[in-house]
Amino acid sequence: MLSPVEQIKGKLSIKDVVESYVKLEKAGVNYKGKCPFHNEKTPSFFVSPGRETFHCFGCGKGGDIFTFVEEIEGVEFKEALKTLAERAGVHLEARFPIGGSQSSEVSKLRDIMSMSVDFYQESLTRSEQAKNYLKERGLTDESIHTFKLGFAPVGWRNLSIYLKAKGYSEVDAEKVGLIIKAKSRQEAGSPDPQGGSRGYYDRFRGRLMFPFFDFSGRAIGYSARVLESVTDDNQGKYINSTETPLFHKSKVFYGFDQAKNAIREKDKVLLVEGQLDVIMAHQVGTNNALGVSGTALTGEHIEQLSRLTNNLVLVLDADEAGFRASERSVRLALQADMYVSVVELPEGADPASCIKENVEIWQVALGRERSYIDYALDIIKKRAVTEKDTYRHVQDYLYGHIVDMYNEIEKDKILQKISGLLGASLEATRADLAKWQNTQKDKGSQTDEADEKKDEEIVTIKYSVSSIMVARRLNAISVLLESRGQVENKKRLDERLATLVNINLPNTDELLFEAEVFYPEGVNLDQETEQLFARLTKEILKQDFTHAMQELRKAENKGDLDNARQWLSKCQELSKKMI
C-alpha cells in the first residue's frame, strides 16, 4: 500500500502547487519564475515537473513538494503533510499525527481562526441590521458568502464562550488577537451570567467582520467595521487584527485568496483601498482586485505581487491628494521593475460607490487605464500656472520616480515626454535629472572614513565571481554528459577544467537540474563547452593581470625597483595573451 507521501505526490503536481504561489512560465522542459524566498528582478527559480523538484539558482533553496510548502508556509514537515493531504484529498491515519511543537501550535491557532469565521458568519445570519447594511452597500448574498463576511455581536464574551465550549483556551485565542486579557476588573466588564472568564473579553464587538486569508485560503486575521446602529463602540470606524503569528500587516492583502488566480491569468493586479471596494469589484467581474487595509503598501507587499505579475494598476481619483498618497507605492513598484498604470475615477469617488451607482462608469474607467507617468503629467499640467511651476512639479513629482526605475528604456521614454512638457531638449532634461540626482545624494549621504580606507585596500581573491559561475556551468555540462552516458566526453572535460580551476561545487542533483534548464536536448554541447572554456580562460587571465598590477603598485610604492620590473614584465606578458 502506498504511503500518504507517495499518494500525495501521485495526486499533486509540483508545478500546480508552486503555481498557486508563484507565476510560472515555460522554460524548455521546465518552468521558471521569480523566487518566493528572496527578492529578485530576473527569474532564477525553476520547477522541474519531470523530476518533481524545484531549485533557485539565486538563493540556493530547493527540494520537493513538501520542502516547498515547509519553506513558504514556515512550518515543519508534519504541518506541510497535513496541508498537502487536505489539498490532495488523502486521508492521514492515526499513525501520521500532526504533532511537533511548532506544527501543533500553528495548526491550533489556524483552527481557532477557522472557528471564529464560522461563528461570525452564523452571527451575521441572525443580525438584520448587519445584513441590511451590506445589502444597502450593494453586496449580493453570493459575495457575502464568497468572502465569508460575518458579524461580531454586541457583548463582551460571545466569541470567548464559543471558543471555550469548542475546547480552545483563552490564551491561544488571545495569541491570534481575537480576545483581550483585561488589565482591571472594570475593563473586564460585568460578570458573565454564562460563566465566561472574568479575565478576558472579545476584541471585536458590534462590528461587521471582513476576514483575511492566506495563499491557501486559511483565515489569518480581520478588519472590522463598527455598525453604528447596534453599538456605540468608540475604538474607531475600522479596527484590524494585531500582529500575530499568522497575521502580518506588512504582507497581507484583502481578497488575495480570491484574486491570485485572476492576477496570474490577466497578468495584472488592480490595487484598491477598502474591503468593500474589493468585493464590489469582484462582484462585477474585476476579479484581479486586491486591497491593502490599515497600512501603507510595503516592500514585502510588492515582493509578493511581483511573483504573480509585473503589472500594477492603481485606482485613484482625479484630485492631487490621491496622486500624492500613491507616490510611495509607485516608487516601490518601479524599484521592483513593475509597470505602473492608473485607473482614474471621478473626483471624490471610490470603486464601491462608483460600481453601486452605475457599473458603466467603472467599466469606462477601466477601459481608460493609462501609464502612471501620463497620469502624473496631466496632474502637473492642471496644477502648474507658470513654466517655473511646471519645472518645480516635475522635479517634486517625477524625478524621484524616474531614478527609482529599473527599466532604462522606460526611463528614456518618460524623459522624452518630460522634455516635450518643459520645451527642452532630451539631452538637457537628462543632464538636469543627473544634476538633481547628485544634489539628492549630497543631501542624504556622508562618506565614512572607514569605507574610504576599505576602498583603498587591495584585496586578492582566489577566483572571481565570473570565473566561479563559468566553472559551475562547465561542471553542470559534465554531470549532464554523464547522465546521457557520454563518459569519455565527461572525463576529457573534467581533466581540462582541473588544469584551470579547483572549486568546490554543489551536489550532482543540483548541477544536473541546472544543466537541464540551460542545455535541453538539441543544444550543441561541444560548441557550448568550447565557448565556456574560452570565457573561463579569459576571466582567469584578467584576474591574473589585476593581481599583477596590484603587486606592481605595491613594489613601486615601496621603491623596490627590481620587483617592480618583474611585475611589469608579467603585466606585459598577460596583456598580450588577453588580446
Side-chain angles (χ1 to χ4, degrees):
M1 181 177 176
L2 294 176
S3 71
V5 169
E6 292 170 323
Q7 290 179 57
I8 290 167
K9 285 189 172 183
K11 291 187 175 185
L12 297 180
S13 157
I14 191 168
K15 172 189 172 289
D16 293 337
V17 172
V18 172
E19 205 165 31
S20 64
Y21 298 86
V22 182
K23 181 182 179 182
L24 298 175
E25 58 184 53
K26 202 85 166 70
V29 296
N30 300 305
Y31 291 83
K32 67 177 180 180
K34 291 183 180 177
C35 181
F37 307 118
H38 79 287
N39 194 13
E40 63 179 6
K41 294 185 176 72
T42 303
S44 61
F45 177 86
F46 286 82
V47 174
S48 170
R51 298 165 61 81
E52 284 294 323
T53 57
F54 74 93
H55 183 75
C56 176
F57 297 111
C59 66
K61 289 188 183 294
D64 63 7
I65 193 173
F66 294 96
T67 312
F68 180 81
V69 173
E70 287 174 51
E71 290 285 352
I72 202 159
E73 297 283 358
V75 296
E76 295 176 351
F77 172 75
K78 291 180 179 180
E79 181 68 19
L81 179 65
K82 179 183 177 184
T83 299
L84 290 170
E86 289 173 354
R87 181 165 177 170
V90 172
H91 174 67
L92 294 178
E93 298 175 7
R95 63 194 181 94
F96 291 99
I98 307 302
S101 57
Q102 181 189 358
S103 292
S104 59
E105 175 73 10
V106 171
S107 182
K108 182 166 52 179
L109 297 182
R110 283 180 174 150
D111 287 344
I112 291 173
M113 287 302 302
S114 178
M115 295 301 297
S116 73
V117 172
D118 293 343
F119 173 79
Y120 291 136
Q121 282 187 291
E122 174 63 25
S123 298
L124 177 61
T125 65
R126 298 194 302 270
S127 173
E128 291 303 318
Q129 291 136 311
K131 287 190 290 184
N132 288 338
Y133 175 84
L134 294 174
K135 291 293 175 63
E136 288 168 7
R137 294 303 302 269
L139 272 63
T140 63
D141 289 338
E142 184 180 357
S143 293
I144 293 169
H145 175 74
T146 298
F147 285 85
K148 298 185 179 180
L149 304 190
F151 176 66
V154 176
W156 290 89
R157 300 187 186 89
N158 295 299
L159 180 64
S160 303
I161 293 169
Y162 174 81
L163 292 174
K164 195 171 184 179
K166 295 291 184 181
Y168 297 104
S169 75
E170 291 168 320
V171 172
D172 289 328
E174 183 188 20
K175 287 179 182 177
V176 288
L178 293 173
I179 66 175
I180 301 172
K181 187 171 185 178
K183 297 177 182 177
S184 65
R185 183 183 179 87
Q186 290 75 18
E187 188 181 35
S190 58
D192 188 344
Q194 299 181 54
S197 170
R198 186 185 295 273
Y200 290 89
Y201 61 94
D202 295 352
R203 179 181 297 277
F204 306 111
R205 306 177 302 280
R207 290 177 177 269
L208 289 164
M209 303 300 292
F210 297 86
F212 283 75
F213 298 91
D214 65 12
F215 266 94
S216 301
R218 296 172 299 203
I220 54 175
Y222 289 97
S223 183
R225 188 200 189 282
V226 69
L227 201 59
E228 294 90 346
S229 60
V230 301
T231 182
D232 57 357
D233 189 321
N234 61 1
Q235 294 182 82
K237 186 175 181 179
Y238 279 93
I239 57 174
N240 293 332
S241 290
T242 56
E243 289 286 312
T244 74
L246 304 181
F247 186 80
H248 305 285
K249 282 185 279 190
S250 64
K251 297 180 180 179
V252 300
F253 290 98
Y254 183 72
F256 196 87
D257 60 314
Q258 296 294 330
K260 63 182 182 182
N261 291 332
I263 292 170
R264 272 195 300 267
E265 290 165 7
K266 296 180 180 180
D267 194 19
K268 181 188 298 185
V269 59
L270 201 75
L271 200 62
V272 298
E273 188 172 347
Q275 290 87 19
L276 289 174
D277 294 332
V278 173
I279 298 171
M280 290 295 285
H282 280 248
Q283 192 167 289
V284 295
T286 316
N287 54 355
N288 58 334
L290 288 179
V292 179
S293 301
T295 183
L297 198 70
T298 67
E300 290 171 302
H301 282 126
I302 291 294
E303 188 177 334
Q304 285 195 61
L305 292 180
S306 67
R307 295 175 198 154
L308 301 178
T309 180
N310 285 323
N311 300 298
L312 172 65
V313 184
L314 300 175
V315 180
L316 303 172
D317 64 16
D319 63 4
E320 186 175 1
F323 168 68
R324 295 312 297 256
S326 69
E327 286 188 278
R328 172 176 164 77
S329 302
V330 173
R331 295 188 71 165
L332 287 171
L334 292 175
Q335 288 168 4
D337 196 24
M338 295 186 81
Y339 177 80
V340 185
S341 56
V342 169
V343 165
E344 189 176 349
L345 298 180
E347 192 163 339
D350 59 60
S353 61
C354 184
I355 292 169
K356 181 173 181 269
E357 179 186 342
N358 186 348
V359 69
E360 289 185 8
I361 297 174
W362 172 251
Q363 291 167 341
V364 168
L366 293 177
R368 292 176 177 171
E369 175 191 335
R370 55 182 174 154
S371 76
Y372 180 83
I373 296 300
D374 288 340
Y375 167 77
L377 288 171
D378 270 1
I379 292 284
I380 290 171
K381 290 174 186 175
K382 291 175 184 176
R383 298 294 180 265
V385 178
T386 65
E387 287 186 5
K388 187 175 180 180
D389 285 340
T390 302
Y391 175 64
R392 178 172 56 81
H393 289 328
V394 165
Q395 283 196 324
D396 290 347
Y397 293 172
L398 292 181
Y399 274 4
H401 294 78
I402 297 169
V403 169
D404 286 335
M405 290 185 75
Y406 180 77
N407 190 312
E408 294 297 330
I409 294 174
E410 286 300 319
K411 276 187 186 181
D412 198 68
K413 290 179 180 177
I414 292 165
L415 286 174
Q416 290 179 42
K417 292 179 180 180
I418 292 174
S419 299
L421 178 64
L422 297 176
S425 67
L426 180 57
E427 289 72 21
T429 306
R430 281 201 190 101
D432 190 65
L433 174 63
K435 186 167 66 175
W436 178 89
Q437 188 174 358
N438 288 331
T439 302
Q440 300 306 304
K441 287 179 181 177
D442 291 341
K443 287 179 182 177
S445 64
Q446 292 182 349
T447 305
D448 185 79
E449 290 182 9
D451 289 338
E452 289 182 355
K453 288 181 180 178
K454 285 179 183 177
D455 290 338
E456 293 171 3
E457 290 176 356
I458 297 171
V459 180
T460 303
I461 57 175
K462 188 172 182 181
Y463 299 113
S464 68
V465 174
S466 297
S467 298
I468 294 172
M469 288 178 65
V470 177
R472 177 189 176 111
R473 194 65 58 79
L474 284 164
N475 268 279
I477 290 177
S478 171
V479 173
L480 186 61
L481 289 171
E482 184 176 24
S483 73
R484 294 177 180 176
Q486 300 179 33
V487 180
E488 287 301 318
N489 287 347
K490 169 189 164 53
K491 183 179 178 182
R492 284 194 295 271
L493 189 154
D494 290 345
E495 290 173 351
R496 188 176 172 187
L497 184 59
T499 64
L500 296 172
V501 294
N502 181 21
I503 298 172
N504 292 324
L505 289 158
N507 61 53
T508 301
D509 286 343
E510 187 173 322
L511 284 171
L512 183 56
F513 197 143
E514 182 172 337
E516 289 174 345
V517 169
F518 289 102
Y519 306 112
E521 291 286 352
V523 171
N524 188 328
L525 286 182
D526 290 339
Q527 183 179 337
E528 291 289 335
T529 300
E530 289 306 317
Q531 290 176 351
L532 288 170
F533 269 118
R535 182 177 165 190
L536 179 59
T537 302
K538 186 175 180 180
E539 289 293 338
I540 291 173
L541 284 172
K542 282 166 59 179
Q543 188 175 306
D544 290 345
F545 180 78
T546 300
H547 174 67
M549 287 295 294
Q550 290 172 350
E551 293 298 327
L552 174 59
R553 292 194 193 98
K554 282 183 186 178
E556 289 175 341
N557 290 337
K558 291 177 182 178
D560 187 347
L561 298 180
D562 289 340
N563 204 19
R565 277 193 291 270
Q566 290 178 17
W567 282 113
L568 176 60
S569 177
K570 182 68 173 177
C571 287
Q572 291 170 339
E573 176 189 338
L574 291 169
S575 181
K576 290 176 182 176
K577 291 181 180 179
M578 290 167 62
I579 296 174

